[in-house]
Amino acid sequence: MADSLIRGIISRGVGGLYAVRPVFDDRYDGETELLARARGSFRIQNISPLVGDVVTLSPAGEMNEALEVPEDTGAPDSTGRKRRGKKGDIRVDWVISEISGRKNSMIRPPLANLDYLFAVIPTASPEPDLLTVDKLTVIAEDCGIETVIVVNKADLDMDGARKIADVYSLAGYRVFLVSAGSGYGMDELAGFLREITEKQQEKGYVSGAFVGASGAGKSTLMTYLFPELELATGSVSRKTERGRHTTRHVELYRTETGNGSFWLADTPGFSLLDFTRFNFIPTDELPGSFREFADLIGQCRYRKCTHTKEEGCAILEKLSQGGIAGSRHASYVKILEEQRSVPEWKRKQM
Ligand code: GDP
Ligand code: ZN
């Protein structure tokens, strides 16, 4: 019986159904995509499967009924071929019977178990917005997602690029200084992707997303790193899709990085804004979510130190000694102010 169960990850949602990639199962190759529906009891329990969820599939068997699905979803059948479904005629062979415990989950984009966030910061054009990047690092820290900083467009201003890189190296992040346009530094970034993919073989998969302001160079970077994906999705359609869909649509794409697959989370609307607006960090957790503050918490003179202007503040002391970048502390103060301006009742809804 156990043989008929399959474990995999949800790679996308398709009109109320889910495409599942059986990555933990030797019986299937990497291209297989199984179409499944959620077990009825999930709805009663108010659980929705998310892209990125590790799930167990059971055969739908006799229970299989014709499902109402919208026309033209382009949903794949169980062999992975796209089919243009007529209303009500998609046969679903699998049921998601179990969702494994999540490492993390985000509301918008709706995504589970993300391992890495690659924060793409343009050196110039557009001007880098470090406050937004810092909000992102805070959210990622809180969710247990590892942030990797990618300073792009280094060709436009190498000195400027190094200054930004230094800010985040000092904070304890892995930083890559690149030019996706010219290829500068891209071997190191590609090497890092191979490294993390190989390291996570045991877990079964590793996923990441590239986020950053519009024009930062995300598409250029992804095209450079995952050329095979570009063939599959097409840069033109990617761009036009951005306008059409909202951030509710997210998909995990399988990419080959040497010894294993790296799952790239992508959505037409992946922007920094979605993360920063929809994932609220409680005020008391804020200082600890700044990585370079974390080991100093509890060492200030006053127990209720806000680390903004107090005497005997360990964080301000480290700042004055150059151990914390000015822009990072300024972001901390700004985020704290923003949080305080949000009424308590509203925070709960965020
Ligand atoms: P996205 O909105 O973040 O996906 O950004 P794109 O990848 O579409 O890039 C925005 C613009 O920046 C395009 O015109 C790219 O050609 C350009 N661009 C991307 N990377 C670089 C780079 O490393 N150097 C320079 N000079 N331009 C770049
Ligand atoms: Zn303090």
Side-chain angles (χ1 to χ4, degrees):
M1 187 60 204
D3 268 6
S4 57
L5 300 180
I6 295 172
R7 260 161 52 81
I9 60 172
I10 298 179
S11 58
R12 63 200 172 104
V14 275
L17 302 175
Y18 301 91
V20 176
R21 309 286 292 254
V23 290
F24 308 107
D25 202 309
D26 294 341
R27 290 170 293 183
Y28 296 90
D29 68 20
E31 299 305 324
T32 307
E33 211 176 58
L34 305 172
L35 194 62
R37 62 186 165 84
R39 202 171 80 185
S41 62
F42 286 155
R43 184 171 300 182
I44 299 159
Q45 296 165 51
N46 218 354
I47 300 169
S48 344
L50 287 174
V51 169
D53 265 330
V54 175
V55 296
T56 305
L57 299 182
S58 308
E62 305 293 297
M63 307 276 288
N64 199 15
E65 70 255 41
L67 275 148
E68 288 278 308
V69 292
E71 232 169 304
D72 267 353
T73 53
D77 63 15
S78 56
T79 60
R81 276 194 307 270
K82 293 229 174 188
R83 62 189 262 179
R84 298 282 157 209
K86 274 199 231 108
K87 202 169 180 152
D89 102 320
I90 287 189
R91 232 184 75 85
V92 179
D93 297 322
W94 301 98
V95 172
I96 297 172
S97 52
E98 198 190 311
I99 301 173
S100 302
R102 290 169 182 155
K103 169 182 164 182
N104 57 54
S105 66
M106 287 178 294
I107 311 159
R108 215 173 285 196
L111 185 63
N113 301 321
L114 190 70
D115 297 306
Y116 288 91
L117 262 178
F118 293 86
V120 182
I121 311 175
T123 304
S125 164
E127 283 305 305
D129 171 6
L130 299 189
L131 172 62
T132 311
V133 173
D134 293 334
K135 285 181 181 172
L136 179 82
T137 65
V138 163
I139 290 157
E141 210 74 45
D142 204 56
C143 296
I145 302 170
E146 182 66 22
T147 303
V148 176
I149 302 289
V150 181
V151 183
N152 187 36
K153 308 199 188 188
D155 55 294
L156 296 180
D157 174 6
M158 191 51 91
D159 286 343
R162 287 218 171 86
K163 281 193 185 119
I164 300 169
D166 288 347
V167 165
Y168 293 95
S169 302
L170 188 63
Y173 289 99
R174 189 71 189 257
V175 179
F176 293 90
L177 211 153
V178 306
S179 165
S182 75
Y184 174 86
M186 291 299 284
D187 282 352
E188 284 81 4
L189 182 55
F192 177 74
L193 285 171
R194 274 198 302 277
E195 197 184 295
I196 59 175
T197 306
E198 276 157 30
K199 244 196 280 181
Q200 303 251 347
Q201 285 290 308
E202 274 170 43
K203 179 191 152 207
Y205 83 101
V206 53
S207 62
F210 285 73
V211 292
S214 172
K218 298 180 293 296
S219 305
T220 312
L221 273 158
M222 288 190 272
T223 306
Y224 191 103
L225 294 166
F226 316 110
E228 77 281 11
L229 203 72
E230 191 58 23
L231 284 174
T233 57
S235 61
V236 179
S237 70
R238 275 181 53 91
K239 285 284 182 196
T240 49
E241 262 190 295
R242 267 170 215 274
R244 239 179 331 118
H245 294 285
T246 64
T247 51
R248 289 177 178 281
H249 179 86
V250 60
E251 195 162 338
L252 279 177
Y253 295 94
R254 179 173 171 270
T255 70
E256 291 297 337
T257 50
N259 232 342
S261 12
F262 175 81
W263 293 79
L264 180 69
D266 196 23
T267 150
F270 234 139
S271 74
L272 284 169
L273 209 85
D274 304 310
F275 282 95
T276 53
R277 201 168 40 177
F278 293 101
N279 299 277
F280 192 82
I281 310 295
T283 310
D284 52 352
E285 285 174 27
L286 186 64
S289 301
F290 274 78
R291 184 171 280 199
E292 67 273 50
F293 297 6
D295 57 347
L296 295 175
I297 287 163
Q299 292 183 30
C300 304
R301 184 178 306 161
Y302 305 110
R303 201 171 56 83
K304 291 205 161 182
C305 188
T306 62
H307 325 301
T308 53
K309 51 183 181 293
E310 291 88 344
E311 288 284 315
C313 170
I315 286 163
L316 289 175
E317 195 185 313
K318 187 173 172 186
L319 174 70
S320 70
Q321 290 166 355
I324 291 172
S327 70
R328 289 276 293 173
H329 187 263
S331 290
Y332 165 76
V333 174
K334 193 91 210 323
I335 298 168
L336 195 65
E337 276 168 11
E338 282 178 12
Q339 284 188 335
R340 285 176 170 162
S341 68
V342 178
E344 194 71 38
W345 63 269
K346 212 169 171 183
R347 289 179 198 181
K348 295 212 169 66
Q349 293 176 349
M350 291 173 94

